[in-house]
């Protein structure tokens, strides 16, 4: 494995309490002024009284404000200085604790942890636990930065851990499940996750990725059962927030929007770290967006960014909401910032379609080219972006190519998103009868989606089923009248063309 140089720098302690020296005037230094009263005490005695008075004030202030002041005996040789407070946990400890507790860690802390484990493994290459920790840290770093180059490193570290300990290596198995999910290989994520859960059924940190894998495979029943199991293990601390976040996603997929919103609100309250709070706030924002409330979604995204300025997904969400509110310049700026910090293909597609809706074909084309480059880069790290690429080809490229890609993706994963995307690609390629079958199945899975309803309405319109088309196009705009800057005007134009239903007497 490629080992990079790096040294862990111990965290610096808090600054010493400095006691200002009393100003002294040497006798005779100020002509015409004669000192009065008793002789001045020595500098050391005078400082001791100052420090004692300062400590007394601090104790009183601590009692008044509800704080706690701990007086530590002075050590020999320490003149008139207060003792140093004990340092808090450093970045390595914070990142390791976060990964072990199933909560997100900051990018800076992850970098410190990676450097620490790499250094340790140079002299301790048989430490299977450190290999697993290193692999998990690489996965999280790659996920947060959208840099798929971390994923092959993660894979190598995790397989090395398994080689060192082939049996009952739950930590490595769970890491491989998380890696597979980050690469959008949901079948592999399910398989690794199920192996980890079988070995350690009470290890709650494996369940979130397994639940997400079930969701992305369209197996809502299995996701619900795993959620019930996870909920029964623990509902306090970090696990409590994780349970609520997972519940919010499962409820959303079932169309239980109010339950999803309540679960995510609870997750925000239970969050133990800023990064975990940002995740719950962001998902609340996504839910508000899907429900057609862009102003509310914007508030959630901004709150997520205040909790964790590095939560780049909320920058893209902010761009989406700002565009819906007519604040186009700010929306473009937010999207560009999100792509610069976390270059994900789906953000490039959204920004390209925003430019296209503004009739800026040159800028839209640049984003679509960037999307292709991003997909290629992620592919080198083993990431599957077929769903995003298929939707791009269906709307902006070669519909036949979209069908080929999305047919394979649907056979691999079978989620509602893959079902809907395949139906849309078939429609764009001219096979409307087959397209409608997939569009109906996508909506039947329970998720309430304006995009699904729009796609189905357009397919029905192409088939001459005007009543059903009108109903689903209206439904799309009712669910979220801002669901796409490019497609909303098309939905409105299609409804105008369809007109109102004819008022005819029922047949006798």
């Amino acid at each position: 494995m490629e080992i990079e140089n790096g040294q862990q720098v111990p965290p610096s302690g808090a600054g010493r309490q400095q006691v200002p020296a009393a100003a002294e005037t040497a006798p005779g230094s100020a002509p015409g002024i004669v000192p009065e009263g008793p002789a001045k005490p020595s500098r050391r005695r005078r400082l001791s009284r100052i420090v004692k008075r300062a400590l007394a004030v601090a104790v009183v202030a601590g009692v008044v404000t509800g704080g706690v002041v701990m007086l530590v005996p002075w050590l020999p040789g320490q003149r008139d200085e207060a003792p140093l407070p004990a340092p808090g946990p450093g970045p390595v400890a914070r990142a390791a604790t976060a990964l072990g507790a199933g909560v997100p860690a900051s990018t800076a802390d992850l970098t410190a942890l990676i450097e620490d484990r790499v250094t340790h493994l140079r002299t301790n290459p048989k430490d299977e636990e450190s290999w697993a920790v290193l692999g998990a840290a690489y996965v999280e770093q790659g996920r947060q930065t959208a840099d798929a180059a971390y994923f092959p490193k993660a894979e190598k570290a995790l397989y090395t851990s398994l080689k060192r300990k082939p049996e009952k290596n739950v930590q490595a198995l769970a890491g491989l499940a998380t890696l597979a999910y980050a690469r959008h290989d949901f079948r592999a994520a399910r398989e690794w996750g199920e192996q980890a859960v079988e070995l350690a059924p009470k290890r709650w940190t494996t369940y979130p990725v397994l639940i997400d894998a079930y969701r992305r495979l369209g197996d809502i029943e299995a996701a619900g059962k795993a959620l019930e199991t996870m909920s029964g293990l623990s509902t306090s601390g970090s696990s409590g927030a994780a349970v609520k976040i997972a519940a919010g996603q499962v409820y959303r997929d079932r169309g239980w929007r109010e339950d999803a919103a309540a679960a995510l609100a609870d997750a925000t309250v239970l969050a133990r770290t800023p990064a975990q709070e940002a995740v719950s706030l962001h998902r609340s924002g996504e839910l508000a967006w899907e429900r057609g409330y862009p102003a509310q979604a914007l508030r959630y995204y901004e709150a997520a960014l205040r909790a964790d300025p590095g939560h780049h997904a909320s920058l893209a969400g902010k761009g989406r909401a700002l565009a819906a509110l007519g604040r186009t310049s700010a929306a473009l700026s937010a999207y560009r910032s999100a792509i610069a910090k976390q270059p994900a293909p789906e953000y490039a597609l959204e920004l390209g379609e925003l430019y296209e809706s503004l009739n800026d074909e040159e800028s839209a084309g640049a984003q679509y080219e960037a999307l292709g480059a991003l997909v290629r880069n992620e592919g080198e790290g083993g990431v599957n972006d077929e769903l995003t690429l298929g939707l791009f080809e269906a709307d902006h490229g070669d519909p036949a190519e979209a069908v080929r890609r999305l047919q394979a993706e649907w056979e691999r994963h079978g989620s509602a998103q893959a079902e809907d995307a395949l139906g849309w690609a078939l429609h764009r390629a001219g096979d409307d009868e087959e397209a409608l079958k997939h569009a109906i199945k996508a909506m039947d899975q329970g998720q309430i989606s304006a995009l699904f309803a729009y796609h189905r309405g357009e397919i029905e319109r192409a088939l001459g089923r005007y009543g059903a088309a009108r109903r689903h196009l209206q439904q799309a705009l009712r669910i979220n009248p801002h669901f796409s800057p490019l497609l909303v005007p098309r939905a409105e134009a299609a409804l105008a063309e369809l007109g109102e239903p004819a008022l005819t007497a029922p047949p006798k």
Side-chain angles (χ1 to χ4, degrees):
M1 172 174 177
E2 180 185 352
I3 301 297
E4 304 167 20
N5 291 327
Q7 290 184 335
Q8 180 187 356
V9 180
S12 58
R16 294 175 181 270
Q17 181 178 349
Q18 299 295 327
V19 181
E24 293 184 307
T25 302
S29 62
I33 303 293
V34 180
E36 296 181 354
K40 292 183 179 181
S42 71
R43 173 183 173 88
R44 179 172 179 177
R45 289 177 58 196
R46 210 166 45 250
L47 288 175
S48 296
R49 287 201 298 268
I50 291 171
V51 171
K52 288 176 182 179
R53 285 198 297 270
L55 284 173
V57 171
V59 171
V60 173
V63 172
V64 171
T65 60
V68 176
V69 177
M70 181 173 65
L71 303 181
V72 181
W74 290 8
L75 299 177
Q78 286 186 327
R79 294 179 50 126
D80 297 303
E81 293 178 342
L84 287 170
V92 173
R94 287 197 301 267
T97 300
L99 289 176
V103 300
S106 73
T107 303
D109 288 354
L110 285 168
T111 299
L113 176 60
I114 288 169
E115 292 176 354
D116 178 79
R117 290 301 84 192
V118 165
T119 302
H120 170 78
L121 286 164
R122 284 199 187 100
T123 53
N124 300 274
K126 294 183 179 181
D127 184 354
E128 78 281 349
E129 184 176 349
S130 286
W131 281 113
V133 170
L134 178 61
Y138 275 137
V139 174
E140 184 67 8
Q141 190 82 313
R143 188 192 64 78
Q144 289 190 15
T145 61
D147 185 353
Y150 285 103
F151 294 154
K153 295 180 179 182
E155 182 176 22
K156 194 168 187 179
L158 292 166
Y159 274 115
T160 301
S161 179
L162 275 182
K163 183 179 179 181
R164 299 282 184 263
K165 183 183 177 183
E167 302 294 329
K168 297 184 179 180
N169 193 339
V170 177
Q171 199 168 0
L173 292 172
L176 286 166
T178 305
L179 173 61
Y181 187 83
R183 284 172 156 173
H184 304 161
D185 186 352
F186 307 121
R187 286 190 183 279
R190 179 187 63 187
E191 291 168 5
W192 290 119
E194 287 179 342
Q195 288 184 50
V197 164
E198 184 178 356
L199 285 175
K202 294 185 178 180
R203 186 180 189 269
W204 73 264
T205 52
T206 308
Y207 284 89
V209 68
L210 183 58
I211 291 168
D212 281 339
Y214 285 140
R215 290 178 47 245
R216 298 302 294 267
L217 290 169
D219 194 345
I220 304 303
E221 183 178 353
K225 289 180 179 178
L227 175 62
E228 288 178 10
T229 303
M230 181 184 175
S231 301
L233 294 176
S234 178
T235 56
S236 62
S238 299
S239 64
V243 167
K244 294 299 183 181
I245 290 172
Q249 294 299 97
V250 171
Y251 296 159
R252 166 191 170 271
D253 290 350
R254 289 176 171 174
W256 303 349
R257 289 176 152 188
E258 298 300 329
D259 294 313
L264 292 171
D266 289 343
T268 302
V269 173
L270 293 170
R272 288 299 183 92
T273 67
Q276 192 176 43
E277 182 181 357
V279 170
S280 61
L281 287 167
H282 172 259
R283 294 194 178 179
S284 293
E286 295 289 271
L287 186 63
W289 166 256
E290 291 171 359
R291 299 173 74 183
Y293 302 133
Q296 185 182 50
L298 179 61
R299 289 194 292 272
Y300 279 120
Y301 295 137
E302 289 177 334
L305 289 167
R306 285 194 297 273
D308 179 9
H311 197 261
H312 307 134
S314 290
L315 268 176
K318 184 177 176 181
R320 198 181 308 128
L322 287 167
L325 294 170
R327 298 166 60 183
T328 307
S329 296
L332 294 172
S333 177
Y335 266 123
R336 286 192 291 260
S337 180
I339 292 172
K341 295 176 180 178
Q342 191 179 35
E346 56 267 30
Y347 300 162
L349 178 57
E350 287 185 27
L351 179 54
E353 291 187 341
L354 178 56
Y355 276 126
E356 190 172 342
S357 73
L358 299 171
N359 297 316
D360 187 346
E361 299 296 334
E362 182 178 353
S363 296
Q367 290 302 317
Y368 296 150
E369 287 182 11
L371 182 149
L374 293 173
V375 167
R376 287 190 293 274
N377 289 340
E378 291 203 341
E380 292 176 0
V383 178
N384 165 30
D385 282 316
E386 291 298 285
L387 187 60
T388 300
L389 194 56
L391 283 170
F392 165 75
E393 291 289 354
D395 281 322
H396 311 285
D398 182 354
E401 175 68 9
V403 170
R404 185 185 68 78
R405 290 181 178 278
L406 291 170
Q407 182 76 40
E409 176 65 13
W410 173 70
E411 290 173 357
R412 269 193 303 269
H413 295 133
S415 66
Q417 287 78 12
E419 190 98 57
D420 168 75
L422 176 57
W424 183 244
L426 287 164
H427 160 70
R428 297 287 290 176
D431 190 352
D432 292 313
E433 291 287 352
E434 190 65 22
L436 184 58
K437 296 177 185 177
H438 289 284
I440 291 172
K441 288 180 181 178
M443 292 188 71
D444 285 348
Q445 291 191 36
Q447 185 176 330
I448 302 173
S449 167
L451 184 63
F452 290 8
Y454 168 75
H455 284 165
R456 181 171 174 178
E458 286 287 33
I459 294 168
E460 289 165 334
R461 187 164 74 101
L463 289 169
R465 303 183 182 189
Y466 300 127
R470 185 184 296 106
R471 183 169 64 254
H472 288 115
L473 291 170
Q474 288 173 339
Q475 182 183 12
L477 295 174
R478 193 165 53 246
I479 292 170
N480 183 1
H482 318 283
F483 70 90
S484 165
L486 197 60
L487 301 180
V488 164
R490 296 179 185 177
E492 293 171 341
L495 280 172
E497 183 179 330
L498 287 170
E500 295 297 326
L503 297 177
T504 57
K508 295 182 180 179

